[in-house]
């Protein structure tokens, strides 16, 4: 950042329009953290050179005004560290959100001035800041706040060390680097465990949202058929919903057993989108299974015709619960009817083992 321009803002054009007043005011009062750090440094210089009393003087008033604008945009500064001699610092902000929405906790830093001639410490702070970016983008709620608070402690510790005479001693820098990287390793381990759980929660949240579409389609269909669940359309809609529920239960059971692995660094939007598609896929499998059972593609004789709708729903739920089960049910029986499948000298067994499809999986 250009240091000379750190304490300035761009004046808004004199010509105003009604619909742009809010955005122009927000842009005019938008303050980055490096700007705030530089203004804090100017305030400290004013106290040293002019002997101003605390909380007085033009630099003090300007810093207070810009800090208020910064907190309006990013939240209240609840913890901070400012370097004494250089324009560097780190701050922790918390922006309150209404109702049950979690507060937005963010870490802000500007460290280039303090470490510009200390490449080893600059590299160390770069590692801290890289991990901080991952934590802020991936973690959520309490785990996010714990990790950010730990990183704040690490960065402030390194900045404090950078101001001491020992910052020029290679042996002292090496010792600080070892202890800091040990702390970063613990934070990174915590981040990976918490990120995995956060990714799973986001994925499940997307699945719950994705359940709305199959349920709304089923409800609309039942209204159109006059609530006649025993009709072909009514049973088909029941199977459609059962497949979606089966997909949801499948993921929930595998999450509890630790069999689901997600790449949490895909981002919350991607995980939420992928999760929302899962119930629809299960619903389609459930509907296709119902059509296959009803058309006779799968040779199952339902002797009790009065209760056959329950059989359809059970098979559709199982198909949504396991896509592989649906593939076995739909494909294995079909492949057995293909000419040339039942050859001699064990050809049929060889083909079955190659495809991995068996009719006994049902």
């Amino acid at each position: 950042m250009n240091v000379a321009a750190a304490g300035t803002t761009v004046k808004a054009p004199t010509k105003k329009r009604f619909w742009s007043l809010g955005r122009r005011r927000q842009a005019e009062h938008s303050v980055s953290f490096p700007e705030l750090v530089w203004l804090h440094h100017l305030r400290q210089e004013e106290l040293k050179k002019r002997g101003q009393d605390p909380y007085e003087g033009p630099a003090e008033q300007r810093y207070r005004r810009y800090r208020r604008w910064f907190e309006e945009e990013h939240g209240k500064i609840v913890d901070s560290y400012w370097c004494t001699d250089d324009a560097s610092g780190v701050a922790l902000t918390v922006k309150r959100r209404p109702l049950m929405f979690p507060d937005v906790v963010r870490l802000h830093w500007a460290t280039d001035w303090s470490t510009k001639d200390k490449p080893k410490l600059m590299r160390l702070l770069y590692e801290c800041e890289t991990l901080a970016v991952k934590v802020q983008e991936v973690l959520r709620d309490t785990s996010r706040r714990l990790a950010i608070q730990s990183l704040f402690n690490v960065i402030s510790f390194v900045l404090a060390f950078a101001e001491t005479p020992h910052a020029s001693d290679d042996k002292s820098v090496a010792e600080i680097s070892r202890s800091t990287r040990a702390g970063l390793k613990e934070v990174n381990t915590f981040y990976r465990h918490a990120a995995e759980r956060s990714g799973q929660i986001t994925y499940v949240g997307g699945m719950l949202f994705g359940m709305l579409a199959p349920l709304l389609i089923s409800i609309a269909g039942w209204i159109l058929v006059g609530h006649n669940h025993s009709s072909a359309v009514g049973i088909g809609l029941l199977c459609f919903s059962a497949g979606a529920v089966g997909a949801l239960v499948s993921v929930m059971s595998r999450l509890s057993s630790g069999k689901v692995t997600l790449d949490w660094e895909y981002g919350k939007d991607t995980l939420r989108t992928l999760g929302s598609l899962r119930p629809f896929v299960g619903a389609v499998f459930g509907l296709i299974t119902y059509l296959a059972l009803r058309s006779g593609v799968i040779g199952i004789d339902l002797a009790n015709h009065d209760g056959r709708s329950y059989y359809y729903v059970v098979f559709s739920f199982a198909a949504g619960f396991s896509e592989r089960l649906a593939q076995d049910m739909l494909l294995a029986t079909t492949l057995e009817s293909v000419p040339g499948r039942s050859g001699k000298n064990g050809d049929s067994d060889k083909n079955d083992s190659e495809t991995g499809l068996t009719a006994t999986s049902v």
Side-chain angles (χ1 to χ4, degrees):
M1 188 191 72
N2 186 0
V3 178
T8 62
T9 54
V10 179
K11 294 184 179 180
T14 55
K15 186 178 181 180
K16 299 181 180 180
R17 292 187 175 90
F18 176 76
W19 58 83
S20 62
L21 289 178
R23 286 184 299 176
R24 180 173 291 117
R25 181 180 179 181
Q26 183 178 4
E28 182 182 2
H29 291 171
S30 179
V31 180
S32 66
F33 187 70
E35 286 179 316
L36 188 64
V37 168
W38 179 249
L39 292 177
H40 182 275
H41 175 69
L42 295 180
R43 170 225 191 189
Q44 296 299 104
E45 291 296 315
E46 182 181 72
L47 289 174
K48 293 177 182 178
K49 295 180 180 179
R50 299 183 181 180
Q52 295 282 352
D53 294 332
Y55 309 109
E56 295 182 2
E60 174 72 30
Q61 300 302 321
R62 181 174 55 187
Y63 165 73
R64 293 292 171 182
R65 183 172 65 255
Y66 275 67
R67 174 166 175 160
R68 185 177 66 254
W69 291 341
F70 178 83
E71 290 183 334
E72 288 176 357
E73 182 179 358
H74 300 283
K76 182 176 178 59
I77 297 177
V78 296
D79 207 350
S80 61
Y81 177 83
W82 313 92
C83 289
T84 305
D85 299 324
D86 297 307
S88 295
V90 58
L92 185 65
T93 61
V94 177
K95 189 172 185 177
R96 304 296 179 183
R97 299 179 68 187
L99 302 177
M100 297 182 65
F101 293 101
D103 298 335
V104 179
V105 182
R106 296 198 67 85
L107 186 66
H108 310 265
W109 59 85
T111 61
D112 294 344
W113 288 292
S114 180
T115 59
K116 58 181 180 297
D117 55 349
K118 303 177 181 69
K120 293 183 179 180
L121 295 180
M122 182 181 293
R123 173 67 183 179
L124 194 60
L125 288 173
Y126 170 76
E127 295 177 10
C128 297
E129 294 161 4
T130 301
L131 183 57
V133 171
K134 293 181 180 180
V135 167
Q136 293 184 150
E137 292 298 325
V138 176
L139 297 191
R140 51 192 292 155
D141 300 341
T142 304
S143 59
R144 174 176 176 173
R145 185 159 189 168
L146 289 174
I148 288 180
Q149 183 66 60
S150 299
L151 289 170
F152 169 82
N153 295 337
V154 173
I155 295 176
S156 59
F157 172 73
V158 175
L159 285 177
F161 174 77
E163 292 189 288
T164 64
H166 299 288
S168 302
D169 183 15
D170 292 338
K171 185 177 180 180
S172 299
V173 171
E175 182 63 27
I176 291 296
S177 298
R178 281 194 297 269
S179 60
T180 301
R181 286 193 169 90
L184 286 178
K185 185 177 180 180
E186 294 180 1
V187 176
N188 186 60
T189 301
F190 173 81
Y191 156 73
R192 297 184 68 85
H193 288 297
E196 182 177 0
R197 181 59 59 184
S198 178
Q200 292 174 353
I201 293 174
T202 303
Y203 189 80
V204 171
M207 288 193 63
L208 294 176
F209 179 77
M211 285 291 298
L212 293 177
L215 291 179
L216 290 176
I217 292 175
S218 300
I219 292 174
W222 290 337
I223 294 176
L224 292 177
V225 300
H227 306 283
N228 186 8
H229 296 172
S230 61
S231 65
V233 176
I235 297 175
L237 292 173
L238 281 174
C239 294
F240 187 77
S241 300
V245 175
L248 177 64
V249 174
S250 174
V251 173
M252 295 294 291
S253 63
R254 284 187 290 165
L255 283 175
S256 60
S257 61
K259 295 181 179 179
V260 176
T261 57
L262 298 171
D263 190 347
W264 55 84
E265 292 186 353
Y266 275 153
K268 295 180 181 179
D269 292 338
T270 302
L271 290 177
R272 193 176 292 111
T273 301
L274 293 175
S276 64
L277 294 176
R278 187 63 181 267
F280 188 77
V281 173
V284 172
F285 272 120
L287 181 60
I288 295 298
T289 301
Y290 164 70
L291 295 177
L293 290 170
R294 190 171 181 86
S295 64
V297 172
I298 299 177
I300 299 179
D301 185 17
L302 300 178
N304 185 8
H305 295 286
D306 295 334
R308 62 183 179 179
S309 59
Y310 299 106
Y311 288 96
Y312 292 141
V313 172
V314 169
F315 277 108
S316 298
F317 176 86
F321 188 86
S322 174
E323 299 92 333
R324 180 58 187 270
L325 176 61
Q327 294 174 7
D328 292 347
M329 291 175 59
L330 297 174
L331 298 180
T333 307
T334 306
L335 291 175
E336 286 179 355
S337 63
V338 176
R341 286 285 297 167
S342 59
K344 297 179 180 181
N345 300 326
D347 290 341
S348 177
D349 294 338
K350 180 179 179 181
N351 291 332
D352 285 340
S353 63
E354 289 176 351
T355 57
L357 299 172
T358 58
T360 58
S361 297
V362 178

